[in-house]
Amino acid sequence: MVSVDRRVYALIIIIAIIGAGINAYMKHYEGGEIYEAANKAYHLVRKGFNVTVTVEDVNGTIITGEMFSVYGSTIYIVKGGKRISIGGPSARLEDVKARHIEVQARGKVFVYELPPIEGPFEDAIKPYIVPSYSERFSGLIYVKGGFNAVDFGKLKYSVDYLTYGSIDLKQSLGDGVVLSTGMVPLSMLEEYLGDREVYMYGTLYVNSEEQNLNLRLIEVREQ
């Protein structure tokens, strides 16, 4: 009987430890702690984490979106393709007055060197699409053929307005253009580049639970 009790107590302790570990991935902020939430979220996004922000406003409405930027004490999230600004409980200019905020990130960020690859973008990048919370690319992309100002404008707007990332037209050539990218989601590049012929190389930031690419690992970033 004593041994059974000991096993029960041991199980309770193990469950408590696991619970504490899980909770460590989510941080809660109340009211005026918006500054702390903004700093923490921005720090994680800059490291390459996919950060989910859940907000309860002063009226009790719950809003969840992907965090992508911070200006001062204002957090910006994306929900349904729209950008929403979040401030503290007494905010006047922001879209949402937050009473309670949860900032959540998972796993680690594995930083890989992506060697030169070429071909239709969606085919060239396919071997590097792995189970993850997000994958981002920084580097150079040569896009062969027509990529007019309107096409590039749509891509740049989406990157600049809806993600923590950057993309610029580095050089225009007779048979294509060279794009310079910083932390741009692969999913967004795939949406706009699709089957366009590319030659690209740079760095991949993969936010996942484990190292799952057979590429040279540059760094592992933790929360």
Side-chain angles (χ1 to χ4, degrees):
M1 187 67 174
V2 174
S3 60
V4 173
D5 291 341
R6 286 178 177 175
R7 287 199 297 270
V8 172
Y9 290 141
L11 180 60
I12 292 173
I13 292 173
I14 291 172
I15 292 173
I17 292 173
I18 293 174
I22 293 174
N23 288 334
Y25 285 98
M26 181 177 291
K27 300 296 182 181
H28 305 265
Y29 302 88
E30 300 287 346
E33 294 176 336
I34 180 72
Y35 292 97
E36 185 180 351
N39 290 333
K40 176 62 176 179
Y42 188 55
H43 175 70
L44 290 170
V45 169
R46 289 184 63 186
K47 291 173 71 173
F49 285 93
N50 189 70
V51 178
T52 299
V53 176
T54 300
V55 180
E56 179 185 357
D57 70 12
V58 293
N59 298 315
T61 301
I62 304 295
I63 301 170
T64 299
E66 182 178 332
M67 186 272 182
F68 80 96
S69 186
V70 169
Y71 295 99
S73 62
T74 302
I75 294 176
Y76 291 89
I77 66 172
V78 174
K79 180 178 176 64
K82 296 182 179 179
R83 188 167 71 171
I84 300 172
S85 59
I86 301 168
S90 59
R92 295 183 179 181
L93 300 178
E94 289 79 7
D95 299 317
V96 178
K97 298 180 179 181
R99 178 171 62 189
H100 177 83
I101 298 177
E102 294 178 356
V103 175
Q104 186 175 29
R106 301 178 177 86
K108 301 177 182 179
V109 174
F110 297 88
V111 184
Y112 301 95
E113 177 185 334
L114 180 68
I117 58 175
E118 60 183 316
F121 182 87
E122 55 192 6
D123 292 336
I125 205 67
K126 186 178 297 182
Y128 308 102
I129 303 296
V130 294
S132 64
Y133 301 114
S134 67
E135 291 186 74
R136 294 178 170 85
F137 173 72
S138 293
L140 296 178
I141 306 175
Y142 166 67
V143 184
K144 184 178 180 180
F147 196 66
N148 60 41
V150 173
D151 293 335
F152 175 70
K154 292 178 180 178
L155 172 57
K156 183 170 177 58
Y157 174 83
S158 294
V159 171
D160 291 351
Y161 194 75
L162 299 177
T163 75
Y164 173 75
S166 63
I167 188 165
D168 292 294
L169 180 61
K170 184 178 178 65
Q171 188 175 6
S172 181
L173 305 172
D175 57 350
V177 296
V178 178
L179 305 179
S180 176
T181 70
M183 301 287 281
V184 179
L186 280 183
S187 58
M188 185 168 288
L189 289 173
E190 185 174 16
E191 177 183 352
Y192 285 92
L193 296 181
D195 61 357
R196 294 177 185 270
E197 290 286 331
V198 301
Y199 174 84
M200 60 188 287
Y201 61 90
T203 306
L204 279 181
Y205 302 83
V206 181
N207 178 199
S208 60
E209 292 294 342
E210 59 183 0
Q211 182 179 344
N212 48 15
L213 276 175
N214 188 25
L215 294 172
R216 188 175 82 84
L217 184 64
I218 300 173
E219 181 185 357
V220 179
R221 300 177 179 179
E222 300 188 3
Q223 296 183 48

